[in-house]
Structure formats: structure tokens, C-alpha cells
Amino acid sequence: MSHSTYNLQWNEAQSQIKELLEYETTPEGQKPETDRVSAFQTVAVLYIKYIQVFRKLEECFYQIVHPQKRIVLRHVLDGTMGRLLELKNEMVNLEFSEYHFFDDVLSDMKLTPADIEIPVPRYFTQDNEKDIKDRMKLMAETLAKYRLDETTDKKEEIKMSLEEAIKIIQVHERARQGCLRAKFMREIRAQEEREKMLSLQGASTMDPDVASTYIQKVWKGYSQRNKTSKLREEELIFIGMQPNSDTPSKHKDSPLNKVARREEERVLIQSQHEREYQDALVNIKEKIREAEGPDIKENMQDQIRQWFIETRDATGKFPDYPSDDEGGSAAIFKTKEEGGEEGGNGEGGKKKGKKGKKKKGEKKKKGKKKGGKKGEAPAGDDEEGFRMAPSCFMPGMDEATQTYEEIWKYRDENENFQQKYDAELIKELKRGEVESEIRVQVDDLMRQELKNLKAALQKDMGKKGGKGSAKKKGGKKKDKKAGKKGKKEKDLTPDRTIESLYEELVKEGILVQYPKVKVSDYMGEYSYLGTTLRQANIEPMPSLSDVRRVVTEYGVLPMGSQTVHENSPHVKSLMIAGPHGTGKRMLVNAICSELGANLMDLTAENICGKYPGKAGLTMLLHLVMKVGKLLQPTIVYIGNCEKTFIKKVAKNDMSDPKRLKKELPKIIKKMVPEDRILFVGTSLTPWDADIKSLCQCYQKIILIPRPDYASRYLLFKDLILRNGGRMSPTLDLSSLAKISDGYTPGHIIGAVKHVLTERRIQQLHRKPLTALEFVTPLARIDPIYKEEEEQFKAFYDKTTMGKKRQQLLKGDEE
């Protein structure tokens, strides 16, 4: 798309943000809501509207190439993302559930589930692409270095003489030739039998004209049936009733590929314009310093000298020059401006102030009379009910919106077709910086000049003074105290570089590689009956689409931006629980891939025998936290996390699963919003652990259910196409999804890969796929039964959030 298209899209998004901010700041938006359901509906509508804005802004930020526009866009995008997370937190506090269902709201707003899919901002990895590549390269080099010895040892273990090797090759070659001979002989025998049958039947007595007519009839019928079938298939594909087996994305010149190539080109232009902008910042600043610097310096000195004379005339002595901590000469002109404003108000301002105070006092008295007793709330005061907490992001969004309207909304860019930097805006920005730098130099000169003037005046008057030095000494003492107060915990590795620490963790297998997957690869269909079931007092199981949304909200969005992480509700730890094959580890890998994060593996089996003893464990956790903080973001993964708080350790378990039981909660508790570190645990049997300790350690608990019918249908369809299969009328996906109830995505992936071998893919043009082929591999796997799913539900009801949810449901029933 063109530059103007994205500018229009940004304009639309800004208009929507302005409307949302106006609504949230008006009395109507801040009105307390007594009904919980109505309050949730209000928050849900705002949440969905912010998602729509977020989707537009993310696409604009990814494709707009103007470097100065992107700065404003980034502020708005981060603000929208943060507000989205705040609204999510409000919904959790209202419903006491991590999952929310918007099917009724979507129906009212005429939207589809695809319209509210939360995208992961691509700048999370794009902005740090070089750092991520350097990190991955260092890890690959370290692994290659330390695994070289292991591979050579393994090769040395396998010993074979030349004669033995030749004998094995001969045996396999003879077997291959024997199979081919048998195949040829079978074909020859079949041919001989056919010739024998024809000789017994005798010569054909059919007339050649009749025979040719018969052949024509059969061929024309076959040809017409093929044409009709093809036309019908094209029509079904056109109206969207049948998937296109020959997808256009496979062709180089398809529209989708053209759009993708254009997007990549715009990203390259973006980086080029950014480099030009950074160079211009330096060059234009130097030009301003050379051209305007002397005039700025002279004007400042004249103004400060004027201030010296005015103060001496008014008080009879020269003033004390403000210190650098107080702002230097900038503080002089600030106080002058404030004094001028106060003088303009005059005595009338004082009178008004007194009247204002009197009125306030009168109001307080009236309130006391109406309120009666001390414990009762005064009439007309805040009403009881739900009211959203103050936002940390709305002021920043409002400021960015004002910047957009003042600078970019009506800016004429006809001359800037290539969307390069605007030099005039850089001059405005850098002129202030140059003034600040020159002011520091002027302050040093004028302090000396003031000192000389004071000395001359004292010499004339015979007086001495020295208050300035005492103030400075006091200031220095304060700084020292502040430094001591802010002292952090002891660094166990002060002399080591971050590269050496990183290398050590890679060597020990704590810092691990992960496959590149996206959150969107975790497929699942939307739950369309969630609200309906809740209205009927039936607690619905979330779909895989809901799981994907929650993981994005808790694991990806806050961790991608430092600003968002510091101001949004702080999620320190996350536990993903579900049956085998539901994609728990895939979600951990997806979080890391979307962020370009480091993955530290603190699973009990992985750290067993490493860093032994209490001192060793302290060093391990120190290394993990130090490297994690310096190379943010970092995901700390703990597999089978229930074992850390398990009630009874199995006798054959030699991994010491309770090793982190005491230290892990302490570390998580000490984490602050500035640390972009997230602890993620996965669990197959969370009920084996002490639930109270588990809930204290893991702030958010996400349950992954068995996939429902819609999700299974989507999984089969997508996986078959991804693995080289084709859709055909003979493949009844609906029946296949129905009979595969209880099977997890892992089971379905295994079945699809088992069926779609290279040989079977080659046969697809003459032997289409059928649903029956997938039944056999699925029948060999035990599904997840209803009882196991009920066990997960019972566990969740015992958690902190589950108990609150149960109490809320009981209150609604009463």
C-alpha cells in the first residue's frame, strides 16, 4: 500500500483514540456501576475498541517509513497496548477468571473473532534484530565449541573394519536387486496372463466405424464430466465453500506474495530513512551550534547581567547564583516568569484566593451536617459500585494525540514524497539542546563574573560573605548518603564480563536454544457459546483461541516494551497446565520467539548435578538473574513445575525436584517492574503439588483444555495442507473432527505426519485422501478422557482465582 493509505489509517486510529479518551474522562465514563454484568459489558466494549485501534496502529508502525512519525506512533502504540492490559486486569477483577467471552458483544458490534485477534507488534524483534542475531551467533559458537568433543567421542566408539562394511553394503545391495527382480517377474507374468486371455477370446468381430463411435462416446462423456466437475469446483472455491488445493500463495506473482515483498521493501526503506535521520540529528545540531551559538551565548550573558543589575538596585547587593542542581540560570528566568504572572493577577488574585478558601470551608461544613455521624458517607458523595482504576497510560496517549494533531494531522507533505525526515522539526528540537549546552558554559563564566563583582563590591564596602560554599558541601553530603541508601545486593561475579557469564550458562545447558514459532501457530477456533453458557450458570471450558489470547496478554505484550512493562499490571510468573500434547512447551517457545528473548531452563532434571550445594544454587540463581537483567527480555522455564512443591517425592526420582522450593518464591518476590524477566512453569499433574505454595509462587495459572470440535476441524485442515496434503470431496473433515474427540493437538499432529509420508503425497493426484486413513493411527493412541479434564477443573477450583470465582457464582445464585 502507499504512504497516503497508512497515513489515513493512522488518522482513523487517532480519531478513535480521541473519542475513547474523551469518553473515559467524562463523568459518564467515570460513573460507578453497581451491576457487575453491566460493568463487565462496559469494560469489554472498551477493550474490544482498543484492540481494533491497536491492530491499526501496529500495522501503521510496521509500514510507515517516516522516522519522525514513527516516534509519535511508538508512544501511541505503547500507550494503547498498556491500556489494553489495564482493561484486561479490570475484567479479571470483575469476573475472577482469566478467560472472557465476547460473543454477545461481537454480535452487537457486528464484528468477527478475527477482528479482535491481538497481533504481536513486530518491532519487538525488528528493533533488536542485530542484538538477537549476535546473541544467537554467540550461543551457536559456544555450543559448537563444547559439543565438538562429545561428537568425536561418539564417533570413536563405533568401530568397524573395511571388510565388515563391504559385507553390509553387499547384503543390502543384493536385497535391493532381488526386490526389483521379483517386481519385474510379477509384471511379466501378469502380461502373459493377459495375452493368454485375449488369445482364448479370439479376434474381435466389431465393425471399425461402430468401434470408433463407441470410443468417441466414452471419451466425450469422460471429457465433459471432467469439465463440469472443474467448473463446479471453481464455483465452490469462488464462493468460499471449498478450499483451494492449488493455493495462490505458492506462485511467485500471486497477490499475497507481491504484498509480502512490498512490505519487506518498506521495512528496508524504513531502516535506511532511520539511519539518515540519526545522521541528520548530529549534523543539524552542529550547524545550529556554529550559526546560532554565538548569538545565543551573547543574549544569555546580557540577560544574566541585566538580572545582576536589577537585583543589586532592588536589594543593594548582588544575588547568589543558582547551583547546577537548581537549574543554573534557567531557574532565574523561570522565577521571573512566575513572578510576572503573579504580579499580573495583583490584589484581586489574593482576594479571590481568600474567597475560594472560604467557600471550600462552607462546603465542608454543609457536608458534615448532611452526613450525620462520622462513619457514614455524606449524601451526594461518591456512590458505591465499580469504578475503573486510574490509568498510567492515558496521560501519555493524550499527549501523543495532541502532538499528532499539532504537527502531523494537517501537515503539508506534497514535497516529501519519499517520506524522509523533516529538517525544520529537527532544528526546533536541537535548538533547545544547543541552548541547554551553551547555558552550562555561560553559567560557569557568569559565576566567575559574579564572584569578581562581589569581590569588588566587598572591597568597596569592607564586607565579607561566604554562604555559597556551605550549600555546596551540604549538597555533596546528601549525594553520598543517597548513594549508600540505594546500594544493591552483593554481586558474586563483579570481575567477569557478561559474555563469559553467558558462555558459562550455555555450556552448562541452562541457556538453551528454542525452535522459532509464532503465537499465531498455536491454532484454535473461537468459542461462540461462552456467554450463552455463563448466562445459563454453566461454566464453559475455554477454547484454544482463548488460551492463545491469554498467553499473548500475560507473556508477550508486557515483556516486549520497557515502558509498558513498568506501568502495566506486573505479571512476574505464569503457570501453564494441561494434559499431554496440548502445546505447553510450544507456547513457551512462542513467547521467546515473539520477543527474541533468552530462554533459561531451570527444570529439575536439567539442573540436577549442576552447581551442587547451597553455595552452588546461590551462584546459579545469581547468574540467571544477572544475565537475565542485563540481556532483557528473559524467560525462565521450569518444566513439571508441580514437582518443586510436590507433597511426596517418588523414591526413584533422583533429580532433587524440591531444590528450588525455598529460593524460587524469594526471587520472584524481589523482582521489580524494571526487570523484564518472566518465570513460566508447565505442569501435567498440578494437583500433586501443595496448591497453596504453588499459587503463591505462580501469579497466573492458565489451564489448557482438550480441543473442541471447531478447533479439531481447523487443526486437521491446516495440518494436512501444511504437510503437503490436499483437500478433496472424499476427505470428510467434519466426521474426522467428530470422532477425534478427546485427542490433543499433539496427537493430531502425530496422526497427520504418520499418514502423509512422501510416498503418500506422490499418490495424491490419483488416490485422494480419505478420513479413514487417519483413524488407524489415532486408534493406537489413548485419548484424554473426560475424567482427566474434570481433575484439572477440580484443581483450578482450589486455586486462589478459582475460589474467588466459586464465591462469585454462589453470590449470583443467591
Side-chain angles (χ1 to χ4, degrees), residues 119-134:
V120 176
R122 282 160 280 198
Y123 80 82
F124 285 176
T125 51
Q126 189 181 333
D127 287 2
N128 305 315
E129 193 173 3
K130 189 177 180 297
D131 294 338
I132 293 166
K133 282 182 179 178
D134 292 343

Side-chain angles (χ1 to χ4, degrees), residues 687-703:
W687 48 83
D688 289 343
D690 177 43
I691 295 174
K692 187 179 178 183
S693 302
L694 197 69
C695 292
Q696 285 174 351
C697 185
Y698 293 99
Q699 195 177 344
K700 300 289 181 182
I701 297 174
I702 299 172
L703 286 188

Side-chain angles (χ1 to χ4, degrees), residues 504-515:
E504 182 180 334
L505 289 173
V506 172
K507 179 187 171 185
E508 294 295 337
I510 306 298
L511 238 167
V512 295
Q513 289 180 315
Y514 50 86

Side-chain angles (χ1 to χ4, degrees), residues 88-247:
K88 167 69 179 178
N89 192 51
E90 296 288 355
M91 290 192 292
V92 170
N93 293 335
L94 276 168
E95 289 201 317
F96 296 119
S97 172
E98 306 295 353
Y99 298 104
H100 314 289
F101 303 99
F102 309 108
D103 38 304
D104 55 338
V105 181
L106 291 178
S107 178
D108 294 341
M109 296 176 74
K110 308 292 187 228
L111 297 172
T112 65
D115 294 328
I116 61 163
E117 191 69 36
I118 300 176
V120 176
R122 282 160 280 198
Y123 80 82
F124 285 176
T125 51
Q126 189 181 333
D127 287 2
N128 305 315
E129 193 173 3
K130 189 177 180 297
D131 294 338
I132 293 166
K133 282 182 179 178
D134 292 343
R135 231 170 33 228
M136 292 298 112
K137 187 181 177 182
L138 178 61
M139 181 178 280
E141 287 173 356
T142 308
L143 287 172
K145 181 182 173 182
Y146 288 104
R147 284 179 182 172
L148 188 64
D149 299 334
E150 294 175 16
T151 52
T152 49
D153 290 344
K154 285 177 184 176
K155 284 178 183 177
E156 285 172 7
E157 286 173 10
I158 303 165
K159 291 180 180 179
M160 186 185 291
S161 65
L162 184 64
E163 289 78 11
E164 287 173 339
I166 292 168
K167 189 176 180 181
I168 288 169
I169 292 167
Q170 285 176 340
V171 167
H172 284 278
E173 180 60 24
R174 284 167 185 163
R176 187 186 69 81
Q177 290 179 4
C179 290
L180 285 173
R181 260 190 233 104
K183 186 182 176 183
F184 290 147
M185 290 303 295
R186 196 164 49 246
E187 288 175 359
I188 290 164
R189 285 195 203 97
Q191 181 67 24
E192 287 175 353
E193 284 177 10
R194 282 196 296 272
E195 288 175 359
K196 190 178 178 181
M197 291 293 292
L198 287 170
S199 64
L200 290 170
Q201 287 174 3
S204 176
T205 56
M206 187 180 289
D207 186 76
D209 293 338
V210 176
S212 62
T213 306
Y214 184 75
I215 292 167
Q216 285 175 358
K217 178 186 171 183
V218 171
W219 169 250
K220 284 178 179 177
Y222 172 75
S223 177
Q224 190 57 46
R225 281 192 297 275
N226 275 354
K227 285 178 183 176
T228 307
S229 176
K230 194 173 181 182
L231 287 169
R232 177 174 172 75
E233 189 179 350
E234 285 175 359
E235 185 183 356
L236 290 172
I237 289 168
F238 179 72
I239 62 176
M241 294 294 291
Q242 186 174 315
N244 188 1
S245 57
D246 187 20
T247 52

